Amino acid sequence: MKTLAKIAVAAVFATSAVFSASSAFAAEAKNWTPPEYKIYAQTLSDQIMAKHPELLSVTFHGVPPGMSKVYTMFAGSYPERIGNPDDPDDVMVVETGITILDPRWHRTKDVKPKYVMMVPLRDAQGENCGMLVLAYKNPANSGKKDIDFFKSSTALRDNLQKQIPSYEALYKQAR
């Protein structure tokens, strides 16, 4: 019985050590820390979510000013994810300006059915200044097709473009 108790105690310690290590890794995994103040891009994210109930989330991605090749999420509806490094597909959109339509077929990690659009983010002059990720609600049998999500996301992005004077403005303190 004493051996079983020792094994149980060791398992608890090992589990807590793994949890602590994974928490520390998650904190270290950030590649950018936002400023103490709310940035303009976060205000835009909040406005988009308030105006678009069809969305599950919106996130802004790119390379923060003064950095090079540091691709990160810099604003969005998941504040705890701000500063997370971008995935290779995110970087591809930022660098090349392509659009990705992702219907999220058979993804076991996605608890809610959704359709993800990854579109290049542009400023008022039409220059690429990052990427916008829009996750749309997509319940079974919604009848929506790729083109519907494409049209919605590009219209949203194009209207947003008028509100972005420059890449640098996205990172300025919100008013």
Side-chain angles (χ1 to χ4, degrees):
M1 212 38 139
K2 287 183 180 181
T3 304
L4 184 58
K6 287 180 183 177
I7 291 172
V9 169
V12 168
F13 281 122
T15 302
S16 64
V18 167
F19 179 77
S20 296
S22 66
S23 296
F25 177 77
E28 292 174 27
K30 303 277 185 190
N31 65 358
W32 180 70
T33 303
E36 292 294 320
Y37 54 82
K38 185 177 188 176
I39 64 173
Y40 180 54
Q42 187 60 50
T43 299
L44 293 172
S45 171
D46 296 345
Q47 290 171 356
I48 291 167
M49 288 304 295
K51 291 179 184 174
H52 294 275
E54 72 277 16
L55 291 174
L56 288 169
S57 66
V58 59
T59 55
F60 289 71
H61 299 253
V63 178
M67 301 184 102
S68 176
K69 302 288 183 190
V70 177
Y71 300 92
T72 192
M73 185 181 121
F74 61 87
S77 51
Y78 293 109
E80 69 279 4
R81 295 184 189 172
I82 292 173
N84 284 356
D86 281 342
D87 294 328
D89 54 347
D90 300 327
V91 174
M92 185 171 44
V93 173
V94 172
E95 286 187 346
T96 64
I98 65 168
T99 295
I100 295 178
L101 291 75
D102 183 355
R104 297 286 161 137
W105 293 323
H106 309 294
R107 301 264 178 114
T108 56
K109 290 182 184 179
D110 289 336
V111 293
K112 294 183 181 178
K114 62 183 166 183
Y115 195 105
V116 176
M117 289 293 306
M118 302 165 74
V119 296
L121 184 63
R122 298 189 180 118
D123 65 17
Q125 291 74 41
E127 294 295 320
N128 282 355
C129 58
M131 173 186 66
L132 188 64
V133 178
L134 302 162
Y136 288 88
K137 297 172 185 172
N138 190 22
N141 303 317
S142 72
K144 291 193 173 188
K145 297 182 167 69
D146 292 349
I147 192 70
D148 299 316
F149 294 106
F150 179 78
K151 286 179 178 179
S152 294
S153 63
T154 54
L156 194 153
R157 185 269 320 271
D158 293 349
N159 286 325
L160 182 63
Q161 178 178 340
K162 300 169 192 169
Q163 300 175 58
I164 303 172
S166 67
Y167 155 79
E168 292 81 11
L170 290 168
Y171 297 88
K172 296 227 186 252
Q173 187 167 2
R175 295 181 196 174

